[in-house]
Amino acid sequence: MTTDVPEDARVARVWAQILEWLAEYTPPSYAALRPGASDDELTELEVALGVRVPEELKALWRLSAGEDGVNGSGLMLGDWALMPLDAVAEVHRRQMEVEKEFSGEDGPAFWESWWIPFCSSGPADTVLGLFLDGRTGEVRRWTRYGDRDREYTSLAAYLELMAVNLEAPLTAAGPEKPGMLDGALVWGPPDGEDGDQWVRHLGQAPPRHPAKTLGAIREALPHDERDAFDERRDAVDLTDPGAVAAFLDHWWGRAVEVQEQLEDDIASALRGNVMAQPGRDLAPEHEAALPSALRHRPPSFDDIRAALRHESVRARFRQDLLNAIPPHFPALLLRWWDIARLMADPRGDRAVRAVVGGRRAARKAR
């Protein structure tokens, strides 16, 4: 990820997002985090290390100065544990002693003073882990055997990948996926006995309607209505609870109306009797009738299955495929490719899940 934002600001921003996720989905892991370090504590650490700590690490430690872990496991991406500051100092001291012992030998250094450890294999296991190279900004892995492999381009990149995997768990790259074990975050699936209790985190559907807050309501409104929203918001007397409640009720109702209209439009597009041969363009009359976002060349069923983002939606797709009569395959393919494409957009994603889940049909039946 390329950005002009300073590294310490990137780290603070993404770690704050991770903290919100932990507090909502895995309270035991959130509770296991230690409070942030003060500037005096960071200064004491620098004295103990004998080297200046990079600003991006300070930004992380100011928010969370390590973790105690849950059931012997840490919460960091890769199944690492965020090291407390006393463990940081101890590992650095120990590694520097080994470096002094072998400093006269040829070959690469065993440890450099500017290598600052910050993650270990467990809260009480510091034989291997991750360190930040204070000169290059890279995150590398250390082992007792002298391995110093580069893992990530920067601390911010490591944390941003962790945040993405938490917020979009079904698209998480690599063998380790976010999961739950006794309510705590564990990257896995883990080996051994814990594997039977580990439950993969599949993500949570956003609420069907926006939250009744100013920011959520504004985000749900069409762009051409946001100026009017801003003007009326600024004119509200915030000391008058009745006026504030009336303002929220009015604009929340408008946001709900917009969202339901979006669901209706997509439901109409997906339920149309559109026939097409896989891999070919739609007929001109069907192409003209579809919204521009739904115009495409249909791929294979395997492509569609891979593109669907939510396991519950994939299950519905598999069931539809099993129930379909072969002459209807082209229409089925077109319908599900529309769904897969729309799910790439957050608002379309919400609407598609409403359509696929039959929520609107159930409500009308009542």
Side-chain angles (χ1 to χ4, degrees), residues 52-357:
R52 182 175 176 274
V53 174
E55 291 300 317
E56 56 264 43
L57 258 182
K58 288 183 180 180
L60 172 62
W61 286 334
R62 284 190 180 103
L63 293 173
S64 303
E67 64 164 303
D68 296 318
V70 180
N71 298 327
S73 296
L75 60 85
M76 303 296 287
L77 173 65
D79 210 24
W80 301 107
L82 187 63
M83 297 170 64
L85 300 191
D86 55 351
V88 171
E90 174 59 23
V91 168
H92 188 272
R93 182 194 63 78
R94 191 170 66 229
Q95 299 285 27
M96 289 302 297
E97 287 181 352
V98 176
E99 167 61 25
K100 290 178 182 178
E101 183 179 349
F102 295 99
S103 60
E105 299 185 4
D106 296 334
F110 183 84
W111 195 267
E112 301 283 4
S113 61
W114 55 85
W115 291 352
I116 314 297
F118 68 94
C119 278
S120 59
S121 56
D125 184 356
T126 57
V127 297
L128 69 159
L130 300 177
F131 66 86
L132 182 69
D133 188 324
R135 291 195 172 178
T136 67
E138 296 173 336
V139 172
R140 295 180 176 272
R141 179 171 59 90
W142 96 81
T143 71
R144 69 177 73 186
Y145 306 109
D147 298 323
R148 303 291 182 261
D149 299 328
R150 171 180 147 168
E151 297 286 319
Y152 306 94
T153 57
S154 68
L155 177 61
Y158 169 62
L159 296 177
E160 285 165 351
L161 179 60
M162 177 178 173
V164 167
N165 286 358
L166 290 174
E167 293 171 1
L170 293 176
T171 62
E176 292 181 335
K177 316 292 184 185
M180 309 298 185
L181 184 62
D182 297 329
L185 172 63
V186 178
W187 299 85
D191 298 326
E193 297 179 358
D194 288 343
D196 294 336
Q197 286 78 43
W198 181 84
V199 178
R200 185 175 176 188
H201 177 69
L202 299 179
Q204 301 293 327
R208 181 169 179 270
H209 293 143
K212 213 168 191 178
T213 63
L214 293 174
I217 292 172
R218 189 181 189 280
E219 186 66 24
L221 292 172
H223 285 275
D224 58 0
E225 295 186 23
R226 293 182 182 179
D227 288 343
F229 172 86
D230 291 341
E231 290 179 10
R232 298 188 186 181
R233 176 199 60 200
D234 295 341
V236 171
D237 181 0
L238 298 180
T239 64
D240 183 351
V244 173
F247 173 82
L248 288 174
D249 287 344
H250 170 78
W251 285 101
W252 183 79
R254 176 56 185 153
V256 169
E257 180 183 349
V258 169
Q259 187 163 323
E260 291 187 343
Q261 183 60 50
L262 176 68
E263 291 181 11
D264 283 334
D265 292 343
I266 292 179
S268 176
L270 294 180
R271 290 169 181 167
N273 184 20
V274 180
M275 299 293 290
Q277 291 296 320
R280 297 184 183 178
D281 290 331
L282 299 178
E285 62 271 20
H286 296 316
E287 183 77 44
L290 286 175
S292 58
L294 303 182
R295 298 174 189 170
H296 61 279
R297 297 171 62 88
S300 69
F301 283 122
D302 287 339
D303 291 332
I304 294 172
R305 186 181 297 108
L308 292 171
R309 294 174 49 207
H310 297 278
E311 183 57 36
S312 60
V313 179
R314 286 200 198 101
R316 176 65 181 271
F317 167 76
R318 289 192 293 269
Q319 191 60 48
D320 276 6
L321 190 57
L322 288 173
N323 294 339
I325 300 173
H328 296 165
F329 279 176
L332 183 68
L333 181 148
L334 179 61
R335 166 186 167 82
W336 279 99
W337 182 237
D338 286 341
I339 292 175
R341 283 167 44 79
L342 284 170
M343 290 181 78
D345 177 83
R347 296 188 71 189
D349 187 15
R350 290 195 293 271
V352 165
R353 277 190 272 102
V355 173
V356 173

